[in-house]
């Protein structure tokens, strides 16, 4: 989607706004969702090409090549997703657009972090090039943490200042993506300072990931030039970050936090323009079944946020954050990214206009978006066949007896543990209430073999699961308790060139 409105279009809009020539499209009989004043007001909207030429009192300008009576429904700006990794949808850009545009999302600020960790600079370039010509506006970021945890895991690339400079030089790249390595920022590590310096020199936006930071640590993180966060842990955390001057990006993945956050926001004298909405990671079943930004808005409204305030956060507030004066409002001179809403509280989207064209109705695209490119490179599984012993915990220097080994406790939030285990033939016997996890480097950049550990507090299962889809480095990860089943699952993923495999009772299911 081109972001340049040509002079001829603007000249036509000047004439049409004064009744000197017809609009291309005239929307009549509706109420404008005014996200600046938080009013609902009756108005007609005249479009010229991809832009809004006029928002005027009903019936005052009637000449148009096409007139659409929207029958008392509301007209809102298209939703802007302030922070998203579209790869989590497991969809290519054109497929992703076909799902979220009918839901009302017309612009995303995306970090192709997963592509970058596998394919490097080529992954970010693919995201840019594959998004061209779509009814969804992709504003791309330069992934800042490739790998996400330097020194702990190796991904398919290594982004330092040089690579970040290259990416920020692309006109479609509007900022540095979330800086997840908070410790590197607070320790002012040379690698991270080099990355941040390139971003600051570019004058582009720097996205943050400030989970758990408060007090002096938060102030230090802000002092590095980072200005937004979507990793909100509580209502108090959200308020502290708003007071600190951060753009706070409320996401829907932690629903249990939303009621308290809404209650805290409603106590403020005014909800700041630095409060925005994002989705971050939404998996395909949820995205298709419940929605993306529209789903987050519905829940915020259900928990007590005024519908106009909620829509404001997903439109003009995000446009301000993205420094895009052409987006986020139903006013003359801005992009004609418009939503026809039949119910504000339910965020019921009946129709979507993108760049002045009606592209979706009743939850479906009028014309399926087409892929701009072929698939990205797919031969990325650079690892040979594995044996059962690769999925056993080896005890160096022992063939039998008992030993104390380190374990990993927890799933989302992990900690070290210890277990005493029996040793047979040089390997630990996995306790009945525990499982095994193996990580195998798959990018061809490391000579280290598979790394296997006992994991606890994951419940206990039979069978095995292997996947090359594992945030953030996307190495091959295998879970199970029987080494032969784990090897079977892993080797099938290797043979497929990546993907997922489940094994039950010794067979691939």
């Amino acid at each position: 989607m081109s972001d340049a409105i040509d002079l001829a279009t603007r000249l036509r809009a000047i004439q049409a706004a004064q009744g000197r020539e017809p609009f291309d499209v005239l929307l009549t009989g509706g109420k404008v969702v005014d996200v600046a004043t938080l009013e609902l007001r009756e108005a007609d909207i005249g479009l010229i090409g991809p832009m809004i030429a006029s928002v005027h009192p009903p019936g005052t300008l009637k000449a148009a090549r096409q007139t659409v009576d929207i029958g008392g429904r509301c007209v809102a700006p298209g939703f802007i997703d302030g922070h998203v990794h579209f790869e989590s949808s497991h969809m290519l850009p054109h497929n992703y657009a076909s799902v979220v545009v009918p839901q009302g999302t017309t612009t995303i600020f995306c970090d192709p972090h997963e592509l970058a960790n596998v394919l490097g600079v080529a992954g970010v370039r693919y995201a840019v090039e594959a998004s061209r010509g779509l009814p969804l506006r992709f504003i791309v970021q330069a992934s800042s943490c490739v790998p996400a945890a330097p020194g702990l895991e190796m991904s398919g690339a290594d982004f330092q200042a040089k690579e970040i400079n290259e990416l920020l030089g692309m006109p479609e790249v509007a900022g540095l993506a979330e800086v997840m390595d908070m410790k590197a920022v607070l320790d002012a590590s040379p690698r991270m300072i080099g990355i941040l310096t390139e971003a600051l020199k570019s004058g582009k936006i720097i996205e943050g990931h400030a989970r758990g930071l408060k007090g002096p640590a938060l102030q230090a993180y802000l002092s590095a030039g980072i200005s937004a966060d979507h990793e909100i842990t509580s209502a108090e955390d959200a308020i502290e970050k708003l007071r600190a001057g951060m753009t706070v990006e409320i996401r829907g993945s932690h629903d249990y936090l939303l009621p308290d956050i809404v209650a805290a926001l409603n106590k403020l004298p005014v909800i700041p323009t630095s409060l925005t909405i994002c989705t971050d990671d939404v998996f395909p079943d949820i995205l298709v079944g419940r929605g993306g930004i529209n789903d987050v808005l519905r829940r915020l409204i259900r928990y007590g946020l005024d519908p106009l305030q909620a829509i404001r956060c997903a439109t003009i507030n995000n446009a301000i954050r993205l420094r895009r004066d052409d987006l986020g409002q139903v006013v003359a001179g801005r992009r004609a990214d418009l939503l026809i809403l039949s119910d504000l509280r339910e965020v019921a989207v009946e129709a979507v206009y993108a760049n002045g064209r009606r592209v979706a109705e009743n939850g479906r695209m009028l014309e399926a978006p087409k892929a701009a490119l072929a698939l990205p490179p797919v031969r990325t599984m650079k690892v040979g066949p594995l044996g059962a012993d690769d999925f056993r915990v080896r005890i160096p220097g022992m063939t039998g007896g008992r030993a104390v080994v380190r374990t990993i406790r927890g799933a989302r939030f992990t900690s070290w543990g210890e277990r005493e285990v029996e040793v047979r033939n040089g390997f630990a016997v996995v306790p009945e209430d525990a499982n095994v996890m193996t990580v195998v480097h798959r990018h061809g950049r490391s000579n280290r073999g598979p790394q296997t550990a006992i994991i606890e507090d994951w419940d206990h299962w039979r069978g095995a699961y292997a996947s090359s889809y594992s945030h953030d480095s996307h190495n091959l990860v295998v879970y199970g308790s029987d080494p032969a089943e784990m090897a079977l699952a892993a080797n099938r993923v290797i043979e497929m060139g990546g993907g997922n495999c489940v094994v039950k009772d010794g067979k691939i299911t």
Side-chain angles (χ1 to χ4, degrees):
M1 172 181 291
S2 171
D3 276 348
I5 295 178
D6 60 82
L7 178 60
T9 299
R10 290 202 179 274
L11 291 175
R12 282 206 303 129
I14 291 169
Q15 296 302 311
Q18 300 176 83
R20 295 172 182 169
E21 74 167 81
F23 297 109
D24 292 336
V25 178
L26 181 62
L27 304 179
T28 64
K31 299 174 185 175
V32 168
V33 177
D34 192 324
V35 292
T37 65
L38 297 183
E39 297 173 289
L40 268 181
R41 52 191 176 81
E42 294 183 353
D44 291 348
I45 304 160
L47 313 183
I48 291 289
M51 65 179 287
I52 302 169
S54 176
V55 179
H56 49 266
T60 54
L61 294 172
K62 298 181 179 179
R65 293 177 176 85
Q66 180 189 14
T67 299
V68 180
D69 183 353
I70 60 174
R73 291 165 177 77
C74 297
V75 184
F79 301 144
I80 300 170
D81 191 335
H83 173 80
V84 61
H85 310 279
F86 72 86
E87 303 100 300
S88 292
S89 71
H90 300 192
M91 300 177 199
L92 296 172
H94 66 290
N95 301 126
Y96 183 81
S98 72
V99 174
V100 301
V101 170
Q103 298 171 354
T105 298
T106 54
T107 298
I108 63 172
F109 193 37
C110 68
D111 170 16
H113 173 83
E114 315 308 329
L115 280 166
N117 267 282
V118 177
L119 297 172
V121 170
V124 180
R125 289 193 179 279
Y126 171 81
V128 169
E129 293 167 4
S131 67
R132 289 175 179 154
L134 296 177
L136 177 67
R137 181 179 294 101
F138 281 66
I139 302 175
V140 180
Q141 304 169 60
S143 303
S144 70
C145 292
V146 179
L152 294 178
E153 191 172 10
M154 186 178 286
S155 65
D158 184 4
F159 282 10
Q160 301 200 34
K162 176 178 175 290
E163 289 76 17
I164 295 300
N165 174 271
E166 178 183 351
L167 292 172
L168 289 171
M170 298 176 66
E172 295 95 339
V173 173
L176 184 69
E178 60 175 312
V179 181
M180 293 188 288
D181 195 345
M182 299 178 293
K183 186 176 186 301
V185 175
L186 299 180
D187 291 347
S189 78
R191 173 198 178 99
M192 182 53 68
I193 293 302
I195 289 170
L196 288 170
T197 298
E198 293 301 326
L200 291 166
K201 283 192 325 191
S202 76
K204 296 182 177 182
I205 299 165
I206 304 179
E207 281 285 290
H209 176 117
R211 186 175 185 86
L213 295 187
K214 58 185 178 179
L218 178 61
Q219 298 298 311
Y221 191 76
L222 281 159
S223 293
I226 304 163
S227 54
D229 185 36
H230 57 278
E231 293 285 341
I232 305 305
T233 59
S234 67
E236 294 75 19
D237 183 44
I239 297 300
E240 179 178 2
K241 285 170 178 170
L242 287 169
R243 287 171 176 163
M246 275 193 141
T247 294
V248 170
E249 300 155 335
I250 300 297
R251 62 182 180 179
S253 56
H254 293 62
D255 187 75
Y256 64 94
L257 296 175
L258 297 185
D260 287 346
I261 290 173
V262 169
L265 292 171
N266 284 337
K267 291 177 182 175
L268 296 175
V270 63
I271 292 179
T273 56
S274 53
L275 184 75
T276 66
I277 308 292
C278 75
T279 60
D280 195 12
D281 294 291
V282 183
F283 298 123
D285 52 345
I286 296 172
L287 190 65
V288 172
R290 292 204 326 237
I293 289 291
N294 60 331
D295 174 53
V296 182
L297 290 175
R298 270 194 297 270
R299 285 184 279 147
L300 289 170
I301 293 166
R302 192 179 309 137
Y303 295 140
L305 191 61
D306 177 78
L308 296 181
Q309 284 281 14
I311 292 171
R312 182 178 189 238
C313 292
T315 55
I316 191 172
N317 286 10
N318 262 324
I320 292 168
R321 165 65 183 164
L322 297 179
R323 305 173 187 169
R324 290 295 298 257
D325 292 341
D326 60 333
L327 303 176
Q329 269 187 288
V330 185
V331 294
R334 300 217 177 195
R335 288 274 168 183
D337 293 350
L338 304 171
L339 312 181
I340 311 301
L341 302 174
S342 60
D343 188 319
L344 284 181
R345 297 197 68 84
E346 290 301 315
V347 197
V349 179
E350 280 197 4
V352 180
Y353 287 80
N355 262 6
R357 292 178 53 246
R358 194 175 179 101
V359 295
E361 288 180 2
N362 300 317
R364 295 186 176 277
M365 297 297 297
L366 295 177
E367 183 180 330
K370 294 181 172 59
L373 290 178
L375 287 170
V378 292
R379 297 186 182 279
T380 60
M381 291 297 295
K382 299 171 183 175
V383 55
L386 301 167
D389 284 353
D390 291 317
F391 302 94
R392 293 188 170 98
V393 179
R394 193 180 298 274
I395 308 297
M398 293 184 67
T399 56
R402 300 192 70 80
V404 175
V405 298
R406 302 294 295 274
T407 63
I408 299 171
R409 288 181 177 159
R412 181 173 176 83
F413 301 106
T414 57
S415 62
W416 287 113
E418 283 189 351
R419 290 290 289 268
E420 183 177 305
V421 297
E422 181 185 352
V423 180
R424 289 184 201 158
N425 302 317
F427 297 102
V429 177
V430 179
E432 280 295 319
D433 62 341
N435 301 286
V436 170
M437 173 181 177
T438 300
V439 180
V440 184
H441 180 76
R442 53 75 72 94
H443 303 289
R445 301 181 62 238
S446 172
N447 292 325
R448 295 194 72 185
Q451 306 294 303
T452 299
I454 293 172
I455 55 176
E456 300 183 275
D457 301 333
W458 284 58
D459 207 344
H460 183 71
W461 59 75
R462 293 175 294 114
Y465 170 70
S467 178
S468 63
Y469 179 86
S470 53
H471 284 49
D472 290 293
S473 291
H474 298 283
N475 283 308
L476 175 60
V477 180
V478 191
Y479 302 94
S481 55
D482 181 275
E485 289 187 325
M486 293 176 71
L488 180 60
N491 286 326
R492 186 53 186 270
V493 171
I494 293 168
E495 291 164 10
M496 292 189 298
N500 306 301
C501 181
V502 176
V503 169
K504 181 180 179 182
D505 297 328
K507 295 179 181 179
I508 293 171
T509 63

